[in-house]
Amino acid sequence: MIKILAFFEKQAFGVCSALGEKLGIASSAVRMFFVYASFLTFGSPLVIYLFLAFLVNIHKYLRRKRSTIWDF
């Protein structure tokens, strides 16, 4: 079960787990919110999800420690 969740988080940009950690709730609750909201609003939360995926990706890129030519 853990391997399946890790696979989906890796493939799904980690948006739900990042939101869950930030808000202090379970990532499965965030996932269910996106699923239910998508059904009720005919997929408009998909745009929000993709925007958040972009922000999470940018955040990961900016937090990466860059090495210099002096680091061996």
Side-chain angles (χ1 to χ4, degrees):
M1 181 74 170
I2 301 293
K3 290 181 183 180
I4 294 171
L5 287 176
F7 172 76
F8 280 116
E9 271 305 315
K10 184 178 177 184
Q11 297 301 320
F13 307 111
V15 172
C16 294
S17 63
L19 273 176
E21 287 176 10
K22 197 68 116 167
L23 298 174
I25 58 176
S27 61
S28 60
V30 176
R31 283 187 197 97
M32 293 305 291
F33 170 76
F34 272 112
V35 169
Y36 290 144
S38 294
F39 282 126
L40 292 174
T41 60
F42 303 110
S44 62
L46 182 62
V47 175
I48 297 169
Y49 185 86
L50 291 176
F51 178 73
L52 290 173
F54 176 74
L55 288 179
V56 168
N57 193 16
I58 291 293
H59 183 68
K60 284 181 184 177
Y61 176 74
L62 292 177
R63 291 194 58 152
R64 223 176 10 171
K65 183 180 185 311
R66 296 183 183 158
S67 61
T68 63
I69 59 171
W70 306 111
D71 294 337
F72 292 102

